[in-house]
Amino acid sequence: MLLTHAHHDHAINWVLFRHARIVIGAHEIAWAVNEPWGETPVPELYVRELQGWKTLHTAKDAEEVLPGIVAQVAPGHTPGHLIYVLRGREHDLIFTGDAAKNRAELICGKADASYDQAVSATTIKTIRMLWGRRPGSIVVPGHDMPMVLRDGRPEYLGKREAAIKSWFGDDLDTMTHFELTVT
């Protein structure tokens, strides 16, 4: 299991894979266990337990953490955030986590949630460089759909769809479906 960083929305499910090799950045876990309780998105009890977990591997920058997958330190969102690059025969697959959460951050070069905007901007430039290094490479952001670069612009590899289902009737079998669209 590859963890990009120690925020609750990316890290708490490690307990579902407790027998697997769990990888997180060495600097990230050291930082996370020292964050003040109840004040940040770090799930304190989960990272405290993870720190001493028998299958935990704390990765260093440029380390091959699994065959063909290299971890790269990508600070900005958190100090020890990692991105993972899977080198393929023809193109790469880059998992950015929240170092670049979405298409908007990749295009504008700024991060929505960062402890240091200058550090995040440097990381996003690095991601763009890695992405553009080999034609057809795919980036998978932490909170958006996979994308490729076409003529230097990110293009989604799927269709964005969203909807809300709600019970407005008198039983659980009757649901109202609202499709959400962007205009």
Side-chain angles (χ1 to χ4, degrees):
M1 171 177 220
L2 303 177
L3 300 177
T4 56
H5 63 293
H7 282 168
H8 62 88
D9 58 328
H10 290 263
I12 65 170
N13 66 346
W14 75 264
V15 296
L16 297 173
F17 304 94
R18 63 189 174 275
H19 300 295
R21 182 173 192 244
I22 301 165
V23 178
I24 194 168
H27 181 60
E28 181 72 3
I29 193 74
W31 164 79
V33 297
N34 288 305
E35 281 296 277
W37 280 40
E39 297 178 21
T40 73
V42 172
E44 303 87 353
L45 299 173
Y46 285 87
V47 296
R48 184 178 68 185
E49 191 67 22
L50 178 60
Q51 181 184 31
W53 198 252
K54 63 185 176 255
T55 62
L56 177 68
H57 174 76
T58 53
K60 309 281 188 282
D61 189 35
E63 179 182 342
E64 185 174 38
V65 294
L66 290 171
I69 300 178
V70 175
Q72 184 168 332
V73 175
H77 186 64
T78 62
H81 193 294
L82 295 178
I83 62 173
Y84 296 99
V85 180
L86 171 60
R87 185 142 174 102
R89 282 191 205 127
E90 298 177 15
H91 59 267
D92 297 338
L93 189 59
I94 305 156
F95 298 91
T96 69
D98 285 357
K101 294 179 287 308
N102 53 54
R103 182 178 181 273
E105 290 183 353
L106 287 162
I107 290 174
C108 77
K110 295 179 184 177
D112 173 55
S114 173
Y115 72 89
D116 185 317
Q117 282 296 334
V119 172
S120 284
T122 299
T123 288
I124 292 169
K125 282 181 188 173
T126 299
I127 291 167
R128 287 294 303 245
M129 183 274 303
L130 290 169
W131 193 11
R133 185 172 57 183
R134 298 177 72 200
S137 289
I138 299 167
V139 72
V140 181
H143 294 273
D144 208 344
M145 294 176 49
M147 293 171 259
V148 296
L149 285 176
R150 297 220 198 287
D151 299 321
R153 299 272 304 165
E155 186 175 293
Y156 289 118
L157 290 176
K159 182 181 175 195
R160 290 178 122 185
E161 296 179 292
I164 297 172
K165 289 184 178 181
S166 186
W167 291 284
F168 289 121
D170 295 332
D171 60 56
L172 295 178
D173 296 324
T174 306
M175 295 196 74
T176 303
H177 182 89
F178 300 95
E179 288 196 25
L180 303 176
T181 59
V182 178
T183 57

